[in-house]
């Protein structure tokens, strides 16, 4: 530390370091930009682009979208680009760059991309913009399609199923963050359960994050300790902790989000309310690549299209407790009947976004 | 009752290990805002290490090495490049959060979650209802006590504290404040590796992107709340865990009447309250002197 007291040495060392850091940063930035431009230039003849705003590797929504856009690209003979936009501040820049590079279709997810879509779509009329899991854009833009899902209908079926499966009469729901669509999921789950037995209790809790499995485990453990024996999850990567908690005790049942989760809880995950983003992307982008695509509209879809389903786990059927497995098979006909009722309009499930 | 204790120990143990890392850094005169980044590095490398090597011991070794290297980097930036320690710490947090995501993507081709086939060894049936807890939970009180002994009852600890409180005075008795800070950050790196590993592999066996969810900052707040005293800070961290558990309990009991977001914010409200309270106490002011002293060594 003696050099601390030598001003000239500090100054000289500081300047050298500063120059070195500046040069290094400049080189890194140049390399990054060059790399990005070369990739874009390579695909400049028209391509389909997926911009996902949650991390891949979730064995669920994002992974399935990536798989499906690549499948579609192969089938249609076009190039696909997949970009992870982690920071909302970068959304507009990323979309603009892709559109500038000649993307024929840009598909992205969730409401936070709505504003960038509205800002950019009019400037790029040749690009078709598809927003999955988003609200309708007002006023409609001729080259934008928004898609929403009736996931809450799957939760209604799960609630009905839970009411028949529970032994304690207590059902739980764990969501990532309390936002309107998830609130609607909980309300539908509760409505489904109470339609069978009004004396049941249905309790909701939120982890405050979609990526905090430790918090998910804490909440689920408290719920199970309170006697809840069936939990509907709605929290992406936080689900991992909920599944871990369910695996710590016998007789604990879960309905989760994705088929890939079945092996994580073969004796606890009874089924899933699936939302197949990949299938939805496949349908919507497939339409956009066709000649008869029409923009300027909002598509509400889900139950009955293969995008939203409530289904039983085949692993649970093999490894779950015999009495619960038998019970699930026994009541499945009622679930199918209710689903048919929802689809033909004879059963109306309210979409209530307030808790 | 046992269930509640198990839940609090589960959530509190990772926080306490990381808090101890903050305590030793604070004693050495460094406000370590890189705890969040070090914790996520520990969490990520523990799980990834188990997956890649099939050995818990090797995974922990990798986690410790990486966390120590990151700590040494922090020391280098602060001590040699004369960076502001607050900014450098935040930079380390950014590096940890971003670097782990990048590493997982590079290794597994995905960014969000990695599941390990096993985790930290459990205490086992001999411990009854506490058998589901990991060995790190059992070791935690000993680690806190060892930190107290180290800082208060050893020549090294006293020199380290002197280096933090008055570097010139420490130097006058032959201590090298810069090296003491390096030692403090290395010890902290080891503790953050254990804390991160406990978070991801203690009972979960899962790494999820950004899964620390602000726990490193809560640990830092616990250091301030506990006036950088090992035992006081450990209790502060435990207090935050209890408040977190109460927040969940409140959601289950009063979720119909009180907004969930407000109940979820309870641990963070408690954290702010704790930091404010520490400012009202002598210990809080004492802990807060570190930053001023750091500027003149």
């Amino acid at each position: 530390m003696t050099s601390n007291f030598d001003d000239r040495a500090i100054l000289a060392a500081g300047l050298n370091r500063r120059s070195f850091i500046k040069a290094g940063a400049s080189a890194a930035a140049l390399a990054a930009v060059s790399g990005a431009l070369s990739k874009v230039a390579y695909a400049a003849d028209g391509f389909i682009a997926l911009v996902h705003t949650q991390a891949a590797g979730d064995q669920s929504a994002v992974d399935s979208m990536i798989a499906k856009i690549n499948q579609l690209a192969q089938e249609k003979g076009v190039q696909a680009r997949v970009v992870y936009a982690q920071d909302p501040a970068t959304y507009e820049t990323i979309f603009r760059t892709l559109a500038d590079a000649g993307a024929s279709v840009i598909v992205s997810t969730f409401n936070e991309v709505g504003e960038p879509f509205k800002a950019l779509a009019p400037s790029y009329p040749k690009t078709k913009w598809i927003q999955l899991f988003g609200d309708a854009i007002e006023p409609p833009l001729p080259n934008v399609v928004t898609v929403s899902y009736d996931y809450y209908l799957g939760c209604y079926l799960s609630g009905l199923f839970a009411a028949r499966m529970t032994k304690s009469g207590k059902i739980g729901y764990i969501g990532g963050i309390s936002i309107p669509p998830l609130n609607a999921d909980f309300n539908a789950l509760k409505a489904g359960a109470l339609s069978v037995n009004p004396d049941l209790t249905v309790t909701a809790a939120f982890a405050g994050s979609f990526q905090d499995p430790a918090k998910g485990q804490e909440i689920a453990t408290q719920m199970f300790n309170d006697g809840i024996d069936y939990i509907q999850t709605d929290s992406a990567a936080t689900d991992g902790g909920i599944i871990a908690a369910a695996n710590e005790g016998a007789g604990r049942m879960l309905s989760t989000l994705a088929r890939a989760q079945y092996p994580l809880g073969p004796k606890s995950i009874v089924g899933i309310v699936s939302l197949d983003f990949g299938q939805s992307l496949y349908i919507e982008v497939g339409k956009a690549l066709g000649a008869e695509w029409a923009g300027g509209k909002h598509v509400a879809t889900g139950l009955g299209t293969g995008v939203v389903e409530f289904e039983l786990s085949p692993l649970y059927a093999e490894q779950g407790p015999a009495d619960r497995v038998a019970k699930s098979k026994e009541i499945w006909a009622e679930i199918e009947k209710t689903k048919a009722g929802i689809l033909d309009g004879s059963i109306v499930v309210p979409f209530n976004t307030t808790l | 009752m046992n269930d509640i204790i198990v839940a609090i120990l589960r959530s509190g143990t990772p926080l306490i290990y990381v808090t101890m890392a903050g305590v030793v850094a604070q004693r050495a005169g460094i406000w370590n805002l890189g705890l969040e980044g070090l914790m996520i590095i520990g969490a990520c490398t523990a799980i990834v290490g188990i997956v890649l090597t099939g050995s818990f011991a090797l995974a922990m070794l990798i986690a410790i090495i990486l966390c120590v290297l990151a700590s040494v980097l922090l020391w280098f930036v602060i001590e040699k490049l004369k960076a502001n320690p607050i900014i450098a710490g935040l930079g380390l947090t950014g590096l940890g959060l971003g670097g782990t995501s990048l590493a997982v993507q590079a290794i597994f081709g995905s960014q969000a979650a990695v599941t390990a086939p096993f985790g930290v060894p459990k205490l086992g049936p001999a411990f009854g209802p506490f058998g589901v807890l990991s060995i790190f939970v059992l070791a935690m009180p000993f680690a806190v006590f060892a930190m107290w002994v180290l800082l208060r009852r050893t020549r090294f600890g006293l020199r380290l504290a002197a280096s933090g409180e008055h570097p010139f005075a420490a130097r006058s008795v032959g201590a090298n404040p810069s090296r003491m800070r390096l030692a403090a950050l290395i010890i902290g790196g080891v503790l953050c590796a254990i804390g991160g590993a406990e978070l991801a592999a203690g009972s979960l066996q899962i790494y999820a992107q950004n899964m620390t969810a602000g726990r490193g900052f809560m640990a830092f707040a616990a250091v301030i709340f506990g006036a950088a005293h090992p035992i006081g800070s450990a209790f502060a961290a435990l207090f935050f865990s209890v408040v977190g558990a109460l927040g969940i309990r409140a959601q289950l009991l009063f979720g119909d009447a009180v907004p969930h977001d407000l109940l979820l914010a309870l641990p963070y409200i408690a954290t702010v309250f704790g930091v404010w309270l520490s400012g009202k106490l002598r210990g809080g002011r004492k802990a807060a002197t570190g930053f001023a002293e750091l500027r003149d060594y």
Side-chain angles (χ1 to χ4, degrees):
Chain A
M1 295 299 292
T2 53
S3 64
N4 287 350
F5 301 99
D6 184 338
D7 289 344
R8 283 176 302 177
I10 290 172
L11 187 60
L15 282 176
N16 288 339
R17 278 195 295 272
R18 195 176 300 128
S19 303
F20 176 76
I21 290 167
K22 279 183 179 176
S26 302
L30 187 63
V33 171
S34 302
L37 285 178
S38 67
K39 284 181 181 175
V40 169
Y42 172 68
D45 55 340
F47 58 95
I48 54 177
L50 164 66
V51 180
H52 57 96
T53 55
Q54 291 181 356
D58 56 356
Q59 298 181 319
S60 183
V62 177
D63 285 355
S64 70
M65 285 193 294
I66 292 171
K68 284 293 184 179
I69 198 167
N70 286 328
Q71 179 188 337
L72 199 60
Q74 277 197 336
E75 290 175 3
K76 301 288 184 182
V78 296
Q79 290 184 0
R81 288 282 174 269
V82 177
V83 180
Y84 178 26
Q86 191 171 13
D87 180 1
T90 65
Y91 290 172
E92 192 164 326
T93 306
I94 290 171
F95 293 137
R96 186 185 295 279
T97 305
L98 290 167
D100 280 337
S104 57
V105 181
I106 295 176
V107 57
S108 191
T109 51
F110 305 125
N111 275 325
E112 58 261 34
V113 303
E115 288 304 317
F117 269 31
K118 277 178 12 186
L120 294 173
S123 304
Y124 297 94
K126 290 182 180 175
T127 301
K128 296 166 183 171
W129 303 75
I130 299 171
Q131 180 189 3
L132 303 179
F133 209 120
D135 296 330
I137 288 179
E138 294 296 339
L141 297 168
N143 57 334
V144 178
V145 164
T146 52
V147 184
S148 65
Y149 306 104
D150 46 24
Y151 189 80
Y152 71 105
L153 296 178
C155 290
Y156 180 86
L157 295 176
S158 175
L160 194 138
F161 180 78
R164 296 289 186 205
M165 291 290 283
T166 179
K167 287 182 176 178
S168 65
K170 295 178 178 178
I171 297 164
Y173 168 91
I174 301 175
I177 297 172
S178 177
I179 51 176
L182 268 66
N183 295 345
D185 294 344
F186 166 68
N187 286 324
L189 178 87
K190 189 173 181 178
L194 298 186
S195 72
V196 174
N197 180 358
D199 295 329
L200 293 174
T201 62
V202 187
T203 307
F206 293 87
S209 166
F210 289 99
Q211 290 172 316
D212 190 349
K215 180 72 81 178
Q217 186 184 34
E218 272 189 79
I219 296 172
T221 300
Q222 286 205 26
M223 280 187 168
F224 287 130
N225 289 341
D226 284 351
I228 287 171
D229 60 357
Y230 184 106
I231 295 175
Q232 173 65 49
T233 72
D234 206 353
S235 56
T238 298
D239 278 12
I242 302 167
I243 297 168
N247 291 342
E248 286 181 343
R252 297 173 174 183
M253 294 176 284
L254 296 177
S255 167
T256 59
L257 298 171
R259 295 179 189 96
Q261 293 171 321
Y262 287 153
L264 303 178
K267 295 179 182 175
S268 57
I269 299 176
V270 183
I272 57 170
V273 179
S274 67
L275 171 48
D276 194 337
F277 276 83
Q279 179 64 18
S280 178
L281 179 147
Y282 185 84
I283 293 169
E284 300 303 330
V285 177
K287 285 181 194 170
L289 291 173
E292 297 178 1
W293 184 80
K297 64 180 181 182
H298 178 77
V299 178
T301 184
L303 202 65
T305 65
V307 175
V308 172
E309 290 294 344
F310 176 62
E311 63 186 49
L312 295 180
S313 163
L315 281 183
Y316 188 82
E318 291 171 5
Q319 300 179 35
D323 64 325
R324 295 294 86 194
V325 173
K327 181 76 176 175
S328 67
K329 289 177 180 171
E330 179 189 320
I331 60 181
W332 192 247
E334 184 185 355
I335 303 299
E336 290 288 355
K337 187 179 170 188
T338 306
K339 179 182 167 184
I342 292 171
L343 290 174
D344 68 21
S346 60
I347 296 174
V348 177
V349 180
F351 183 73
N352 178 6
T353 60
T354 55
L355 291 177
Chain B
M1 188 63 187
N2 287 339
D3 294 333
I4 296 171
I5 295 171
V6 166
I8 291 171
L9 286 174
R10 260 185 182 163
S11 62
T13 298
L15 204 57
I16 288 173
Y17 276 111
V18 179
T19 298
M20 290 303 103
V23 165
V24 69
Q26 190 81 4
R27 282 287 168 192
I30 293 177
W31 287 50
N32 192 349
L33 280 166
L35 295 175
E36 177 86 358
L38 291 169
M39 192 179 193
I40 193 75
I41 291 171
C44 179
T45 48
I47 291 294
V48 172
I50 290 172
V51 172
L52 295 182
T53 68
S55 161
F56 168 70
L58 274 178
M60 278 311 301
L61 185 65
I62 296 168
I64 288 170
I65 289 171
L66 285 179
C67 283
V68 166
L69 285 176
S71 296
V72 171
L73 176 66
L74 179 64
W75 171 83
F76 181 79
V77 170
I78 293 172
E79 290 282 329
K80 299 300 179 187
L81 301 185
K82 303 299 174 194
N84 181 301
I86 303 291
I87 303 301
L90 291 173
L92 179 59
T93 288
L95 178 69
L97 294 172
T100 48
S101 300
L102 186 66
V104 168
Q105 184 184 16
I107 296 168
F108 299 102
S110 65
Q111 299 142 325
V114 180
T115 304
F118 56 88
V120 182
K122 301 290 187 292
L123 296 177
F127 286 81
F130 302 102
V132 295
L133 298 172
S134 81
I135 55 171
F136 286 156
V137 178
L138 184 66
M140 178 265 291
F142 299 103
V144 173
F145 181 69
M147 182 59 70
W148 178 80
V149 170
L150 178 76
L151 292 177
R152 293 302 181 101
R153 291 288 183 271
T154 67
R155 177 185 161 95
F156 169 81
L158 294 173
R159 284 181 168 230
L160 187 133
S163 299
E165 289 181 15
H166 207 300
F168 289 117
R171 196 176 289 118
S172 70
V173 295
N176 183 329
S178 181
R179 285 186 188 168
M180 298 309 288
R181 292 189 180 104
L182 175 62
L185 288 176
I186 288 174
I187 293 169
V190 174
L191 290 166
C192 283
I194 297 172
E198 170 62 19
L199 178 73
S203 57
L204 284 174
Q205 300 163 215
I206 297 168
Y207 159 76
Q209 188 185 43
N210 300 344
M211 70 180 294
T212 43
R215 288 177 177 85
F217 293 112
M218 289 182 73
F220 181 78
V223 174
I224 304 300
F225 190 11
H229 188 287
I231 297 172
S233 298
F235 273 108
L238 204 58
F239 169 71
F240 292 153
S241 298
V242 170
V243 173
L246 289 176
I248 294 171
R249 170 62 41 196
Q251 273 202 77
L252 301 183
L253 293 177
F254 312 118
D256 291 341
V258 183
H260 286 268
D261 291 333
L262 178 64
L263 300 171
L264 272 171
L266 276 180
Y268 306 101
I269 294 171
T271 303
V272 172
F273 175 75
V275 172
W276 170 79
L277 189 63
S278 72
K280 294 289 179 188
L281 304 172
R282 182 177 176 278
R285 289 199 298 275
K286 187 179 174 184
T289 58
F291 182 56
E293 294 293 339
L294 192 62
R295 289 183 296 193
D296 66 4
Y297 61 86

